[in-house]
């Protein structure tokens, strides 16, 4: 199932301009002065109150423009590899002028692969393509709020070391 929502904005020209903006920043990250922080680690679970068992891992990446501290990207991924829960989750949020412009989320397990791609302009949903039956705009807004909180924390943290 694929849904597309188009507003009065000319999404035919807007979406390629966002893709170009993202591509240019990712390709020219040294010239654009992108600051970033990357983190990764293991997900562990207590077993029998004494032992910790590794059940998966996670990665997190934040990027912003060092010149003006405007957000650029927040990426998060995790995977669970135990017999009870095998699932990979990845989502990425791209910002322009501190406003969300693109959201990508992929969830994969043994039964299904769900992918959602949404574009925004001035807080307005321009287009969404998804096969996720549980898709909700509220979930995107929660992920956005979490990403902004983490980006703000990372920007403040990086400024302490300048």
């Amino acid at each position: 199932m694929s849904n597309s929502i188009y507003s009065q904005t000319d999404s035919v020209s807007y979406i390629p301009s966002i893709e170009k903006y993202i591509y240019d920043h990712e390709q020219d990250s040294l010239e654009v002065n992108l600051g970033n922080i990357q983190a990764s680690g293991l997900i562990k679970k207590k077993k029998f109150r004494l032992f910790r068992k590794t059940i998966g891992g996670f990665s997190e990446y934040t990027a912003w423009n060092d010149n003006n501290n405007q957000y650029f990207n927040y990426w998060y991924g995790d995977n669970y590899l135990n017999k009870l829960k095998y699932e990979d989750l990845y989502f990425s949020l791209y910002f322009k002028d501190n406003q969300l412009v693109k959201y990508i989320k992929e969830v994969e397990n043994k039964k299904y692969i769900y992918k959602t791609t949404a574009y925004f302009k001035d807080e307005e949903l321009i287009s969404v393509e998804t096969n996720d039956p549980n898709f909700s705009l509220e979930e995107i807004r929660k992920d956005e709020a979490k990403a902004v909180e983490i980006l703000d924390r990372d920007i403040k943290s990086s400024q302490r070391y300048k």
Side-chain angles (χ1 to χ4, degrees):
M1 176 175 93
S2 180
N3 298 322
S4 290
I5 300 171
Y6 297 96
S7 69
Q8 296 175 358
T9 306
D10 185 11
S11 60
V12 174
S13 62
Y14 179 72
I15 292 173
S17 74
I18 291 303
E19 289 298 330
K20 183 177 180 341
Y21 165 78
I22 292 169
Y23 177 82
D24 288 347
H25 275 68
E26 288 177 339
Q27 296 306 310
D28 301 328
S29 60
L30 294 175
E31 292 175 25
V32 178
N33 292 322
L34 280 186
N36 69 74
I37 294 179
Q38 299 176 37
S40 61
L42 300 174
I43 300 172
K44 297 184 178 231
K45 180 180 179 181
K46 279 189 180 179
K47 190 173 183 178
F48 304 119
R49 293 187 185 194
L50 298 174
F51 304 103
R52 289 182 132 359
K53 180 180 178 184
T54 300
I55 60 170
F58 79 95
S59 293
E60 186 177 62
Y61 170 83
T62 55
W64 62 92
N65 186 320
D66 266 338
N67 294 333
N68 57 16
N69 290 332
Q70 292 201 347
Y71 317 140
F72 173 64
N73 179 233
Y74 174 78
W75 184 92
Y76 178 83
D78 65 31
N79 60 352
Y80 290 89
L81 302 172
N82 62 4
K83 293 177 185 173
L84 298 175
K85 182 180 183 183
Y86 165 82
E87 182 175 272
D88 290 334
L89 164 71
Y90 302 100
F91 65 90
S92 187
L93 294 88
Y94 292 94
F95 297 87
K96 183 175 181 182
D97 300 325
N98 282 356
Q99 291 193 344
L100 180 63
V101 291
K102 183 178 181 184
Y103 174 89
I104 303 167
K105 180 177 180 182
E106 294 181 35
V107 180
E108 178 181 346
N109 66 27
K110 292 178 181 176
K111 297 178 185 173
Y112 57 79
I113 299 173
Y114 293 145
K115 184 169 182 179
T116 300
T117 304
Y119 292 89
F120 296 85
K121 183 174 183 185
D122 301 326
E123 302 281 325
E124 182 182 1
L125 181 64
I126 300 298
S127 172
V128 61
E129 289 185 28
T130 185
N131 63 345
D132 185 349
N134 300 319
F135 168 77
S136 76
L137 189 56
E138 293 80 33
E139 185 178 342
I140 292 175
R141 294 302 181 197
K142 285 180 190 175
D143 289 343
E144 178 185 13
K146 177 183 172 186
V148 165
E149 181 181 315
I150 292 169
L151 280 158
D152 281 340
R153 179 197 69 205
D154 287 355
I155 290 168
K156 286 177 186 168
S157 173
S158 73
Q159 288 174 341
R160 278 188 242 146
Y161 299 106
K162 286 185 178 180

